[in-house]
Amino acid sequence: MDGIGLFRLFGIFLLLIFVSCEGNIAEPKLSFYHWQSYFDVSVEEYDYLEKLSVERLYVRYFDVDFQGGKVEAIGKILNQNNEYCPKEIIPTIFITNRTFKYLEEKDIRDLSDKIISLIKNKHSDFSNNDFNEIQFDCDWTESTRDKYFSFLKLFKERNKINLSATIRLHQIKFKEKTGIPPVDRFILMCYNTGEVSERNEINSILNPKIVEQYISDISSYPDHLELALPLFSWAVLFRNGKLIKLIRNVDLSTFDKNENYEIIDNKIKVINSTYLNGYYLYGGDELRLESMDEEILKKTIHVLKENNFRPKEIIYYHLDSVIINQFPYEILENINNEFTYH
Amino acid sequence: MKYWKILITSLLTISFIFLIPLKTSLGCGYDDDDFYLGYRFLSQNIMEKETEFSPYLLSFSDYHLPDDEASKKQKEANLEEWQLASCEDASLGDIEELIYSSTRDQLELLKRAAKKGGEVPQSWSGNYFVRHLINNKCYDTFEYLHYAKKCEPHVTAGSSWEEEPILDDEIKELIELGNRNILRTDNQFLRMRYMYQIVRLAHYSDQFEYALELYDFLDPKVDDSESIIKWWLLGHKAGCLKRLGKNVEASYLFSKVFKNSPSKREQVYRSFYIKDDAEWKACLLMCNSDDERATLHALRAMDSHADIEEEMSQIYDLFPASEHLTPLLIREISSLEETFLGSEFRRDLQGQKPDKIAKNRLIKLLDFVTRALKDNKIKDVPLWTLAQGYLEYLSRDLYAANHTYKKAETLVKGNPVLEDQLELFQLALNIHGYTRITPSIEEEISAYIKKNKFFNSVETFPHFLFDRLSYLYKKQKNTGKGFLCNFGLEDLRVNPKLRYINDLIRLAERENHNEFEEYLLKTKLGEDYLSELYELKGTYHLSKYELAEALRAFEKVQPSRMDDEIFSPFLLPILDCIHCESPSDTTILHLNKMELAKLLLEYEYNAKTDMDNADKYYYRLGSAFYNMSYYGHSFEVLDYNRSSDSWNETPEEHNDESEEPNYNPYGLAFGNKEYTNVTNALFFFDKCKDLTKDDELAARASFMAAKCELAKFYQDKDSDYNYWTNEIPKLPEKYRNYYDILKNKYSKTEFYQEAISECKFFAYYVEKGW
């Protein structure tokens, strides 16, 4: 067989692969955020990640905030146990919008250097592998956009590294106004869609109908737009009609058959003053339980698919032993199947 | 407007959090534009232990003591203790220099000098404290300070951007050294400090169990129960227990630190953590006294959203003499004061009443205070009596409040802070007691403004006073005075209301003003208030095309005031140029408002009587009324504040004479009116076009009438055209009558060609059609 014959044979082989794959599955990869103060992935959490073939963990290393007239690194993660650690860690940094509000243009370079230095320092605690990307999470506004984007550009130039940035729903819909950050990948944070402080809100974490209102033009967003979905739940505490606090990691079983509470529809009334996850509730307080379930997530995916959104990666917020008990890995597999495209 | 609101909100928040005192001006009356969130009469300095409790009053979950401030407080407490223990004659500055500013090398030198009892090194000879220590051979002290300096890098926070490596060997050596040194000194003051350094080193190097072992080992060897360091040490023990998951023990110890160490209170509040009811019960069981149990409730009450009444009630039931009750009482009254004080006349509330929840809180607190006073078990009876009176006043029981204040008069005697507070409360009660403003009350108010110490020192007092007066004047149908209590000339100028102007003129023209009336008129309308009012009245009539009335009003204005502003409203360029300066051409008329009104009146008469020239008079009238509108260069004849922000508010909405002022303290009384109505101008241009036999003039008049139609289109609520884009609009048929006339009837005129070359809109219409 001559070279041309071999080439033809290879071509037929490729075609066969293509034909046999047509109508086959291309599932988004699953990843998780790790948003804790201590890094200590348990065996159970590690198994869970393994079952879902999760290779990548986005670990919040620290936050950046403007405090006391200075830009500070706060809430730095502490490594308690990195025995169970997925293959790839993406350092993730949350920067408050007010940081860019007060930061002067001339100080952007200094901030960029400080951040990379601290990331490297922190990363050496976790892993011997280099990191291939850094993710920035900042809910920028029109007034801070220029400085945030300058920062991203400079950070990338100086460190020659891939960057990703989180994008809120409104930043998709109003991209002309809010701009598109100069990064390599974008992560659409598909949560916090409602008005948490509204007493009549049903579920402020994720409402597919609200999502729909923001994504009609999502396909025009630049490539490499991935998806972040919520798995968390919380109880929204109202006292005297006003939002007081979000109490995390609670579910209906906390209140069911508990004499301190009375459940009325989706509201929970505090009958006797009591502690809930470290917060003291007074008689008369009201709680609204907001949680995620398979149905809401699937509906959201349906809405996203209908608007031709095809992410290659879904990042769940976030890895936590309570959350993985509420969402056995099979559920996430089912949800992921919804996003399978042919 | 949106950003303005945001700015205001931000400023409000900032001023609320930091309680920035807003100074009021004595000479010119109070500044009506100051922002406020309710009136505040309760002084935060009412407690004797102000320095210890001040942050406590605000609740720590809202209030974060700056790090510098927190460490300053701790430093001060430490220095005072050094002074007391080592050398009472030394100044705090000298002690601070040695303890906080010396280097390790310097301390080594001083240590040697102290050992020998030798000479004080030259560089320290001016420090009395150092001299005292060396002269008394206080070698142990220098040895300790040298040791503490070595520990410093391991226990103090560096930059948040740097990760300090923990050097286990160095820390181990330092702990061993500390253990050796502690046994070498008999000085209990120093022993306590060694112990603190040792335990802190272990704690901060995450050796929590070891830190606890060290604590237990060293505790019996140290005996300085009076030292504040004892509580700081206990804080470290609690911190270690917390890190080891022993929440209950940790929280109990934190509560002890909270109670005994004011400078550590905020830190402790943030560390105190109770997970559930079982832990709370266990924590209560650990307490050795009801006072300790009460402190647990006080810590819980530090949350800004805590139910203070419930926690106070629990504290009281456990330990009525608890020191925590008074600061909590003051905090709660401050919050209720913000809701209730003068709520029926507070401008920003606009009649909105406190809700049921707030009322219940007030009733509950008043009942509680009354019960506590009756039981006579609380501390600070004079202060609580004042509080009772004030709560009665807030709940509108003025009679009871007066009675309680009378009782308090003897109790507060000798305490200047409480005396002042009572005087202010009584003043508020007196002002609130006015039911009708009479001349004698006006006299009383005038005296307050001139002489009362609170008028200028209590930030919200002037607002309280004038809001109350405004409320009563309004009830008495005294429109003008009521208006002046809250607003001034600017509010009327930007949207004049005749009934207010007339009422104020009546007041201004009345003879024998009393002192208060003169104060109101001069501070709110200006020294020559009558001229200002007539100038405004004339302008109002001019805007309504009531020329004779306008002229009559302008004639009463001082001539010098009238000449302040000069206009040229008859100059009519093809393109509108709002801010163009009028040419200094002597052929162009430059007129003040009175001259203008007179001339317009004359033109109006001539237009009706001189039929040969009526067309020209109508054209001039049209020109003047167009130019005086929002779209013309002489808009300042009518508009004192032309603003695109209020452009969208239609003139009709701003023309309602019966409108009540907007009492929102951050806005104008009636908003800002824009003179966008060009109906009169259109009428005059149309008349000119119909009457004239001159095609050139007819073309000009048609063009100007077309511009009036365009202006009407801009205001059409059904139109989504954005005036600010300056894009060529697609004109609906009803707005293009005069463009059509110009195009179809006068295309042969010179003006037609001029209009096409200068006006892009018109050229486009002619070329492309509609």
Side-chain angles (χ1 to χ4, degrees), chain A residues 72 76 239 274-275 282, chain B residues 160-161 163 275 277 305 311:
Chain A
E72 300 277 14
K76 289 180 274 188
R239 180 167 300 155
T274 180
Y275 275 95
Y282 293 92
Chain B
S160 67
W161 295 100
E163 291 281 273
K275 193 175 145 207
D277 292 347
H305 302 294
E311 300 299 354

Side-chain angles (χ1 to χ4, degrees), chain A residues 38 62 64 71-73 76 78 111 114-115 118 121-122 125 239-241 244 260 273-280 282, chain B residues 3 10 159-163 206 243 272-277 280 300-301 303 305-308 310-311 314 355 357 361:
Chain A
Y38 296 96
F62 53 89
V64 179
V71 178
E72 300 277 14
K76 289 180 274 188
L78 294 171
L111 176 65
K114 279 178 174 166
I115 288 178
L118 189 55
N121 207 326
K122 278 282 157 208
D125 278 0
R239 180 167 300 155
N240 297 332
I244 299 298
N260 292 326
S273 300
T274 180
Y275 275 95
L276 175 63
N277 286 3
Y279 197 74
Y280 192 61
Y282 293 92
Chain B
Y3 295 109
S10 313
S159 160
S160 67
W161 295 100
E162 283 159 21
E163 291 281 273
D206 289 353
R243 290 296 296 270
F272 180 81
Y273 177 80
I274 295 287
K275 193 175 145 207
D276 52 31
D277 292 347
W280 174 256
R300 199 158 71 182
D303 187 295
H305 302 294
D307 184 336
I308 303 292
E310 180 170 324
E311 300 299 354
Q314 303 261 18
D355 63 24
I357 294 165
R361 271 174 64 202

Side-chain angles (χ1 to χ4, degrees), chain B residues 466-689:
Chain B
F466 282 99
D467 289 355
R468 178 72 187 157
L469 295 180
S470 170
Y471 172 81
L472 291 170
Y473 279 131
K474 209 171 130 195
K475 272 175 87 171
Q476 289 168 220
K477 310 266 183 239
N478 202 333
T479 314
K481 278 191 196 172
F483 183 83
L484 289 187
C485 285
N486 289 142
F487 303 105
L489 187 65
E490 275 315 302
D491 293 86
L492 271 182
R493 278 179 162 179
V494 296
N495 191 3
K497 300 287 175 198
L498 196 57
R499 75 185 167 106
Y500 287 92
I501 298 169
N502 284 338
D503 203 67
L504 288 170
I505 287 175
R506 271 195 294 278
L507 171 66
E509 284 182 334
R510 217 190 60 216
E511 285 179 2
N512 302 324
H513 293 142
N514 65 32
E515 214 173 353
F516 179 65
E517 287 167 337
E518 199 62 12
Y519 167 87
L520 268 187
L521 289 165
K522 284 190 173 164
T523 56
K524 296 306 184 80
L525 300 174
E527 285 293 319
D528 189 4
Y529 45 81
L530 202 54
S531 275
E532 294 300 343
L533 286 168
Y534 273 117
E535 199 272 347
L536 183 58
K537 187 175 177 175
T539 306
Y540 172 87
H541 286 301
L542 191 56
S543 76
K544 298 276 177 193
Y545 184 40
E546 293 160 357
L547 301 175
E549 288 92 333
L551 189 57
R552 272 200 294 278
F554 287 140
E555 280 167 353
K556 294 192 177 173
V557 179
Q558 287 290 330
S560 58
R561 168 67 184 89
M562 210 68 257
D563 285 337
D564 279 355
E565 296 150 311
I566 303 293
F567 310 93
S568 316
F570 298 105
L571 184 72
L572 202 56
I574 288 184
L575 295 181
D576 294 332
C577 185
I578 303 304
H579 298 293
C580 289
E581 293 229 345
S582 66
S584 52
D585 189 335
T586 48
T587 60
I588 295 166
L589 286 169
H590 297 282
L591 310 163
N592 67 26
K593 286 188 191 179
M594 188 172 74
E595 290 160 347
L596 175 61
K598 205 183 272 180
L599 198 58
L600 289 174
L601 203 58
E602 193 182 311
Y603 287 168
E604 188 193 32
Y605 176 79
N606 292 346
K608 285 171 186 164
T609 54
D610 179 0
M611 291 318 286
D612 292 342
N613 294 305
D615 54 344
K616 293 177 194 69
Y617 290 120
Y618 277 122
Y619 187 77
R620 284 176 207 168
L621 284 167
S623 304
F625 277 93
Y626 183 83
N627 280 330
M628 291 190 293
S629 78
Y630 182 86
Y631 307 97
H633 55 74
S634 297
F635 65 87
E636 282 168 310
V637 174
L638 305 179
D639 199 343
Y640 294 86
N641 183 21
R642 181 183 186 274
S643 166
S644 56
D645 283 348
S646 35
W647 188 78
N648 280 331
E649 297 168 43
T650 61
E652 285 70 26
E653 278 167 349
H654 280 168
N655 274 339
D656 180 6
E657 272 296 323
S658 62
E659 189 185 355
E660 284 296 322
N662 167 19
Y663 281 94
N664 181 331
Y666 319 117
L668 293 159
F670 305 105
N672 183 20
K673 179 180 174 178
E674 298 309 325
Y675 293 83
T676 50
N677 192 335
V678 287
T679 307
N680 286 330
L682 177 59
F683 172 79
F684 296 131
F685 287 128
D686 183 63
K687 287 289 273 183
C688 168
K689 173 190 70 65

Side-chain angles (χ1 to χ4, degrees), chain B residues 56-152:
Chain B
Y56 192 176
L57 293 170
L58 294 162
S59 94
F60 292 134
S61 61
D62 265 358
Y63 177 87
H64 177 62
L65 204 61
D67 289 345
D68 291 353
E69 195 59 31
S71 55
K72 194 177 145 208
K73 277 176 180 282
Q74 285 166 35
K75 197 195 240 187
E76 280 166 6
N78 190 28
L79 289 173
E80 278 166 18
E81 203 163 292
W82 272 96
Q83 190 182 40
L84 202 66
S86 309
C87 179
E88 287 188 46
D89 293 336
S91 71
L92 289 176
D94 281 356
I95 299 172
E96 184 180 0
E97 189 187 9
L98 176 66
I99 292 175
Y100 291 103
S101 307
S102 58
T103 63
R104 269 165 72 176
D105 289 345
Q106 286 172 328
L107 287 166
E108 184 64 49
L109 209 71
L110 293 172
K111 198 166 78 171
R112 270 188 244 141
K115 193 166 195 177
K116 286 186 219 156
E119 282 202 6
V120 177
Q122 184 67 30
S123 55
W124 290 94
S125 59
N127 188 310
Y128 181 84
F129 185 51
V130 170
R131 288 204 313 270
H132 170 83
L133 291 175
I134 290 177
N135 292 340
N136 287 285
K137 295 187 179 175
C138 298
Y139 172 81
D140 287 0
T141 304
F142 289 115
E143 171 120 306
Y144 164 73
L145 290 173
H146 189 254
Y147 172 74
K149 209 50 96 177
K150 275 176 156 178
C151 296
E152 209 172 82

Side-chain angles (χ1 to χ4, degrees), chain B residues 381-399:
Chain B
V381 170
L383 190 151
W384 280 63
T385 310
L386 267 189
Q388 185 191 19
Y390 196 48
L391 288 168
E392 284 162 345
Y393 164 59
L394 292 180
S395 57
R396 304 281 149 73
D397 190 346
L398 306 194
Y399 175 81

